[in-house]
Amino acid sequence: MATAESVKDDHLTCSICYRPFAEPKTLQCLHTFCQECLQHHINHGNHIRGIPCPVCRHVTVPQDSFQPRQNWARLIKTDFKLAGILEALGQMEKGKRAHPDAIVVTGSPSHFNDRKSQLTTMLQVLRPAVNFIQVKIDTEKEGIKTMGDTRAETENDIKSYVEKLIEDIKQKENILIKDLNSSYEMKKTESEENVKRFKKLVEETQDTIGLIDRLLSPGSEYATMECLPRIQKQQEDVMKFVTDPPVDECPVLFSFHGNITHVKSLMSSLELGSVWSNSESDDMYAVGGQETRKNVLHQEKVVSATAMQRYNVPNKQEPSEQEASSDNGADPPTSLPDPPRTVEVPPEQPSNPSYVLERTINTKLDEDNYDPELRNIVILQGKTSPVIIILDYDNGSLKSFYEVDGQPKRNSHRFSGYPQSIAKLSEERVIVSLMNYKFFVFTSDLKQVSSIESEKWYTCMTTVTTQEKLLGFVNTTTTTIIGGRHTVLDHLTVKGKPSNKFINTAPAEGMFGEVSHLCSTPNNNIIVTDCTKHDVTCISMEGSLLWRVEPRDQELACPVGVACDSRGDVFVVDKDKKCIVKISGDQGQVLGDVVTRDAGLENPIALALDTADKIYVIQTNGEIRVFSL
């Protein structure tokens, strides 16, 4: 038979504190808890939309959810019926204790009854707890299965997304090939027409030669006078063609200049999208090619309606007033939690990364007559390893150093004059300026491709590459050479047919004391070091001053060699301080030393960087020091 105690334990006990209700608060799911217990549950959770039931997880929205969360339990309606029943049972127990028959006689049996009552109470607590935990286990197992299914579908979504990006790249490839073929067909048609005209000219000339042979035979004096004007006309046509041919002497060559620096920079910072989950405690992750970073600006994953129904994910929409105020026990509509909207904070990187000496290369060759005196250095991207190309002034030679299957290789080209400067035309070619007013173009294996006449020779050079549309659809690459000597910078462009002479198109002078070294930035600005004023200057192609770093506070003493990385930052050799200084390319701010004498520098004069941001420094003693991060 049910007693007042059993009724209280089974129906009037809070499932959080396992004590009789104190100020009972009933949620929309009809589960009841003490006001203090419910508020403690609210305070220790991360609930932003409402109050999830500790038993069934159903969310109850307070009447005034804009109130502080510390007041949410008080806003829930008090169950006065339960409060009245508890009060009545309390009065009954009080009256029973006041009746003489209810007095308990002390002794051993009473002690046993007390322990039995305690064990019974514990059993009543533990059995519901086991059931509750078992429900949680089943829920977690189901959640694992659901997570596995959504993970597989999300993986397929990522693969489809990347395949679409690859398809877009393939389309760009097809456009490039189509442009190449169109240009080829156009040039081929022109050349075939030229071949026909040349053959016709040869046939007419051969006929004229045969006619002359016949006219030279005895008895042809009269015919000679009659045919002489025709022969003279043919001779004029032939000589005009021989002395002034209508086409270029060199054939049309096609090549592809990929913007590898831009592509590598783009890929290193590429973020394909974000992987998202609807867990309130999850951080957002942006996933890209090489790294995963937290706290990026959220980009919501679109979930299809079918998937939402399959995995019982509620639609993200705000409940209407009628639905929000409904208290008939039905589940109110819920919404996906808003993700944390935080501004992307990129991982901090030191302004001065630590470079260490990787290796030293001795540039003296067996065929050298003198100790090397190095002037300039460029790095080309070879098939298997970077190709280091240097100018040796005293030995009048161009030298290259590279590796094949891990074995060091060397090559050289001896000039009849003294080479002054070198610049990179592409990843396969370099150009050299000599004191005899000639430029020579070489491949990475030091094979001479062409020679070009110039009005000047230059002690330093760099190149700027631009692209433009030819005939509205074919991309053509134009390379401008910037030559420096004394106080003047010259812009050198190729003009005329055949293309063998430089024309100075945009001289810039009066800004420098003595130009030492040059380099160009990814956005086609020019960096100039001045060994007289001891400063570093950045100018545009039009000659406008963008920024200038002057010697101050021992940050810069005597700048000479200069190079630029793929991000636009500038690296300068300080000859006096025997170090390499890094300068931001956008504002001209000195960021500090990246390589010092302690790291292995002794007598630096010039430097170059490869695509892996390794630093190659040439020294006056004929050595190349290679530094890497």
Side-chain angles (χ1 to χ4, degrees):
M1 182 177 179
T3 64
E5 188 68 28
S6 63
V7 171
K8 183 187 298 185
D9 292 339
D10 294 341
H11 303 288
L12 303 176
T13 301
C14 174
S15 58
I16 295 179
C17 65
Y18 298 103
R19 295 177 182 175
F21 291 120
E23 195 68 14
K25 297 289 183 176
T26 302
L27 302 179
Q28 291 180 354
C29 57
L30 302 183
H31 288 114
T32 305
F33 309 91
C34 302
Q35 176 177 317
E36 183 179 352
C37 296
L38 185 60
Q39 187 60 56
H40 183 271
H41 169 67
I42 296 171
N43 294 340
H44 288 76
N46 186 19
H47 316 301
I48 59 175
R49 292 294 185 187
I51 307 171
C53 175
V55 176
C56 67
R57 310 305 294 172
H58 178 85
V59 177
T60 297
V61 180
Q63 293 180 352
D64 188 2
S65 59
F66 293 102
Q67 290 279 346
R69 291 173 53 188
Q70 291 76 6
N71 298 334
W72 279 9
R74 183 176 55 81
L75 297 176
I76 302 300
K77 294 180 179 179
T78 301
D79 195 328
F80 293 102
K81 291 182 179 180
L82 285 179
I85 294 173
L86 284 168
E87 185 178 357
L89 288 175
Q91 293 293 334
M92 293 173 58
E93 290 178 353
K94 184 178 180 181
K96 184 177 180 180
R97 286 194 297 270
H99 198 278
D101 296 336
I103 298 177
V104 178
V105 180
T106 59
S108 178
S110 64
H111 286 249
F112 173 77
N113 291 334
D114 289 342
R115 288 194 297 271
K116 183 177 180 180
S117 176
Q118 292 177 2
L119 293 174
T120 303
T121 302
M122 293 179 183
L123 190 63
Q124 292 174 349
V125 172
L126 293 176
R127 279 177 177 170
V130 170
N131 294 335
F132 177 79
I133 296 172
Q134 189 61 48
V135 171
K136 294 293 291 183
I137 292 174
D138 295 340
T139 302
E140 291 296 332
K141 288 182 178 179
E142 183 65 25
I144 293 173
K145 180 179 181 302
T146 301
M147 283 191 296
D149 295 340
T150 56
R151 185 211 62 80
E153 290 189 1
T154 304
E155 179 179 340
N156 292 332
D157 292 342
I158 294 173
K159 290 180 178 179
S160 300
Y161 179 67
V162 175
E163 288 174 358
K164 180 62 171 60
L165 294 178
I166 295 174
E167 181 181 347
D168 293 340
I169 295 176
K170 293 293 290 184
Q171 290 179 357
K172 293 183 178 296
E173 175 193 13
N174 294 333
I175 292 174
L176 284 173
I177 295 176
K178 182 179 178 181
D179 293 344
L180 171 64
N181 293 335
S182 298
S183 180
Y184 166 75
E185 292 297 335
M186 180 180 64
K187 295 296 183 180
K188 177 184 176 184
T189 301
E190 293 178 1
S191 298
E192 289 175 346
E193 291 295 330
N194 290 334
V195 170
K196 292 179 181 179
R197 291 192 294 109
F198 300 159
K199 285 184 177 181
K200 183 179 179 181
L201 181 60
V202 170
E203 292 174 357
E204 292 175 352
T205 305
Q206 288 176 344
D207 291 342
T208 302
I209 293 173
L211 176 60
I212 294 174
D213 289 339
R214 292 194 299 273
L215 292 177
L216 291 175
S217 60
S220 302
E221 290 77 3
Y222 178 77
T224 299
M225 295 300 297
E226 182 179 354
C227 298
L228 188 60
R230 172 188 167 187
I231 295 173
Q232 290 176 341
K233 177 65 168 62
Q234 185 66 26
Q235 180 184 2
E236 292 175 358
D237 293 343
V238 172
M239 294 307 298
K240 180 180 179 181
F241 178 84
V242 172
T243 57
D244 187 14
V247 295
D248 295 341
E249 292 181 354
C250 58
V252 175
L253 303 177
F254 291 98
S255 63
F256 173 69
H257 300 277
N259 195 348
I260 186 66
T261 300
H262 174 70
V263 172
K264 285 188 176 181
S265 176
L266 182 65
M267 291 302 296
S268 65
S269 61
L270 176 63
E271 292 180 355
L272 298 179
S274 58
V275 176
W276 175 84
S277 74
N278 64 340
S279 172
E280 293 179 356
S281 61
D282 283 352
D283 289 321
M284 299 297 113
Y285 288 86
V287 181
Q290 296 181 352
E291 60 181 355
T292 302
R293 296 187 296 177
K294 291 185 179 182
N295 299 330
V296 301
L297 201 60
H298 174 71
Q299 179 179 358
E300 184 176 327
K301 172 178 169 59
V302 179
V303 184
S304 64
T306 304
M308 294 176 71
Q309 294 175 1
R310 182 185 309 162
Y311 301 113
N312 195 26
V313 178
N315 290 318
K316 187 175 183 180
Q317 49 182 301
E318 296 296 332
S320 63
E321 293 183 3
Q322 180 180 358
E323 294 170 332
S325 61
S326 174
D327 59 351
N328 56 3
D331 291 348
T334 59
S335 60
L336 299 179
D338 290 334
R341 301 192 62 83
T342 55
V343 178
E344 178 178 356
V345 179
E348 292 187 2
Q349 295 185 357
S351 58
N352 300 326
S354 177
Y355 281 87
V356 295
L357 179 62
E358 179 182 293
R359 56 194 170 109
T360 300
I361 303 173
N362 185 3
T363 63
K364 185 174 178 59
L365 305 181
D366 294 338
E367 59 268 25
D368 288 347
N369 297 323
Y370 308 98
D371 290 335
E373 181 183 342
L374 308 184
R375 291 288 181 91
N376 300 98
I377 179 173
V378 298
I379 307 296
L380 303 184
Q381 189 60 40
K383 295 181 180 179
T384 58
S385 69
V387 180
I388 307 170
I389 299 181
I390 59 173
L391 277 186
D392 186 343
Y393 177 80
D394 279 2
N395 290 290
S397 62
L398 186 67
K399 300 178 180 179
S400 66
F401 302 85
Y402 55 98
E403 292 183 357
V404 176
D405 297 330
Q407 298 299 319
K409 301 292 182 180
R410 302 184 176 193
N411 201 355
S412 66
H413 176 91
R414 183 66 61 87
F415 296 101
S416 58
Y418 289 97
Q420 294 296 312
S421 59
I422 184 174
K424 180 166 69 173
L425 288 177
S426 66
E427 290 297 341
E428 298 83 20
R429 296 188 179 188
V430 297
I431 186 168
V432 182
S433 172
L434 270 69
M435 290 181 66
N436 59 2
Y437 301 98
K438 283 190 177 182
F439 289 80
F440 295 92
V441 178
F442 290 88
T443 60
S444 59
D445 54 359
L446 301 191
K447 292 182 179 179
Q448 182 178 328
V449 176
S450 62
S451 63
I452 305 173
E453 296 179 356
S454 177
E455 299 173 354
K456 297 180 180 180
W457 56 271
Y458 298 94
T459 56
C460 57
M461 293 189 300
T462 188
T463 59
V464 173
T465 302
T466 57
Q467 289 189 342
E468 59 182 355
K469 293 285 188 179
L470 178 63
L471 301 178
F473 62 92
V474 179
N475 285 325
T476 61
T477 300
T478 301
T479 300
T480 300
I481 298 177
I482 312 298
R485 184 182 173 194
H486 299 316
T487 63
V488 180
L489 289 186
D490 288 344
H491 289 206
L492 307 177
T493 56
V494 179
K495 295 290 181 68
K497 295 182 178 181
S499 301
N500 61 355
K501 190 172 183 180
F502 278 135
I503 304 298
N504 184 9
T505 59
E509 55 184 318
M511 300 177 64
F512 313 105
E514 182 73 24
V515 175
S516 176
H517 288 76
L518 302 172
C519 77
S520 59
T521 67
N523 55 355
N524 293 339
N525 294 326
I526 310 301
I527 308 296
V528 186
T529 58
D530 192 322
C531 59
T532 300
K533 297 182 177 180
H534 303 303
D535 57 22
V536 181
T537 304
C538 178
I539 63 173
S540 66
M541 283 287 289
E542 294 75 22
S544 301
L545 177 63
L546 301 180
W547 53 260
R548 173 169 284 167
V549 177
E550 298 177 346
R552 64 181 187 277
D553 300 330
Q554 301 300 318
E555 289 181 340
L556 208 60
C558 183
V560 282
V562 62
C564 193
D565 64 11
S566 59
R567 295 174 293 276
D569 289 332
V570 180
F571 294 75
V572 180
V573 171
D574 194 319
K575 185 179 179 181
D576 288 354
K577 292 176 60 179
K578 294 180 173 54
C579 67
I580 296 177
V581 181
K582 184 177 180 180
I583 302 174
S584 63
D586 52 351
Q587 298 178 348
Q589 178 183 359
V590 177
L591 303 178
D593 301 344
V594 294
V595 181
T596 63
R597 180 186 298 180
D598 296 336
L601 281 186
E602 296 176 1
N603 301 288
I605 189 66
L607 80 164
L609 283 77
D610 64 10
T611 56
D613 286 343
K614 290 185 179 181
I615 301 178
Y616 299 75
V617 184
I618 58 175
Q619 303 202 120
T620 55
N621 61 359
E623 291 182 344
I624 302 175
R625 298 286 175 94
V626 183
F627 298 88
S628 60
L629 290 172

